[in-house]
Amino acid sequence: MSLPMLQLALDNKSLADALASTRLLAPEVDVLECGTILVCAEGMQAVRCLKSLYPNHIVLADIKAADAGSILGAMCYDNGADWMTAICCAPIATIQTALAEAKKRGVERDVQVELTGTWTWEEATLWKEAGVRQVVYHRGRDAQAAGQSWSDEDLSKIRKLAGMGFQLSITGGLTVDDLPLFKGIPVKVFIAGRAIRDAQDPAAAARAFKARIAEIWG
Ligand code: 5RP
Ligand code: MG
């Protein structure tokens, strides 16, 4: 099982604030996420800026696209995103058109289906048939704030998605102490935002994630 990567979710409310985080943290992580909140605040210039400053990092635009897959896909990729997200309730046509934009630009570009909210196994089969390789299993920020914790049901869905052949990112208020829950699952990326950015020593917090990942999956 290969070592899961670490993604920093930049859900900052301004680009200046996000760049203060990346100055400290880019060397500690594998993927830089232009978070939904940051894209809403600053638009595609945030994606463009992250990729031009950090060309060797994977840059993800977490736009959670629900429609206009072709236009939004082209917009993300042409501004430097390697990966973008589409929300699980998007019509399959949106996912297909975003994937087509990714494919036009090479095999490394990708669309992740963001599993925030409700979805079905029938839809998961459709994503697979459409050529989706990656899904993001997400305990939503608001669901977490309302007290939802990681459950056995989450873990069994995550295992089933892995069994279907999806590459998995896991996120949603993750802390280092949550990592052992996912032991034995071939996770591609762990995504953390607040647990790293808001830590007293953010670089040490990122290193703690990396060290625990290496301990469990190494
Ligand atoms: C919210 C998101 C966040 O980027 C994701 O939840 C990671 O951030 P945090 O670790 O702070 O929860 O996509 O919709
Ligand atoms: Mg995000």
Side-chain angles (χ1 to χ4, degrees):
M1 216 176 282
S2 49
L3 212 56
M5 293 190 277
L6 181 61
Q7 175 171 324
L8 175 66
L10 293 159
D11 285 296
N12 307 70
K13 291 186 205 147
S14 74
L15 184 53
D17 196 45
L19 295 180
S21 297
T22 57
R23 254 176 243 121
L24 287 176
L25 290 166
E28 313 294 343
V29 302
D30 308 292
V31 183
L32 291 171
E33 171 188 331
C34 195
T36 313
I37 293 171
L38 180 60
V39 184
C40 286
E42 299 277 6
M44 282 294 140
Q45 71 157 335
V47 177
R48 209 161 52 241
C49 181
L50 283 177
K51 192 62 182 181
S52 58
L53 286 172
Y54 304 103
N56 298 322
H57 281 69
I58 297 169
V59 170
L60 165 78
D62 187 15
I63 65 165
K64 299 182 173 73
D67 196 8
S70 183
I71 292 174
L72 293 177
M75 204 179 273
C76 288
Y77 301 128
D78 292 345
N79 279 285
D82 299 285
W83 300 341
M84 66 172 280
T85 58
I87 194 73
C88 54
C89 62
I92 194 70
T94 300
I95 291 165
Q96 284 167 328
T97 50
L99 268 176
E101 294 302 321
K103 271 196 191 149
K104 274 187 211 166
R105 293 163 176 83
V107 72
E108 300 300 331
R109 303 290 174 98
D110 216 351
V111 178
Q112 300 178 322
V113 177
E114 248 273 351
L115 307 180
T116 304
T118 52
W119 52 277
T120 64
W121 291 108
E122 288 72 27
E123 285 166 332
T125 304
L126 284 181
W127 303 329
K128 195 78 197 141
E129 286 167 1
V132 171
R133 295 179 290 186
Q134 299 194 55
V135 296
V136 183
Y137 197 94
H138 192 171
R139 176 176 56 156
R141 193 171 170 123
D142 298 334
Q144 181 204 354
Q148 188 183 310
S149 55
W150 295 103
S151 65
D152 287 346
E153 194 190 341
D154 289 320
L155 293 171
S156 85
K157 284 181 175 170
I158 289 169
R159 285 197 192 93
K160 187 165 169 181
L161 287 162
M164 288 175 78
F166 287 113
Q167 299 167 18
L168 280 154
S169 292
I170 307 284
T171 191
L174 269 188
T175 66
V176 171
D177 293 339
D178 292 323
L179 295 173
L181 284 173
F182 306 98
K183 188 176 176 166
I185 301 174
V187 175
K188 182 182 177 84
V189 185
F190 282 108
I191 308 170
R194 289 162 292 173
I196 296 177
R197 292 193 330 268
D198 299 346
Q200 211 168 21
D201 183 343
R207 281 183 211 130
F209 265 92
K210 280 277 196 181
R212 198 81 175 100
I213 289 170
E215 218 175 277
I216 300 172
W217 281 269

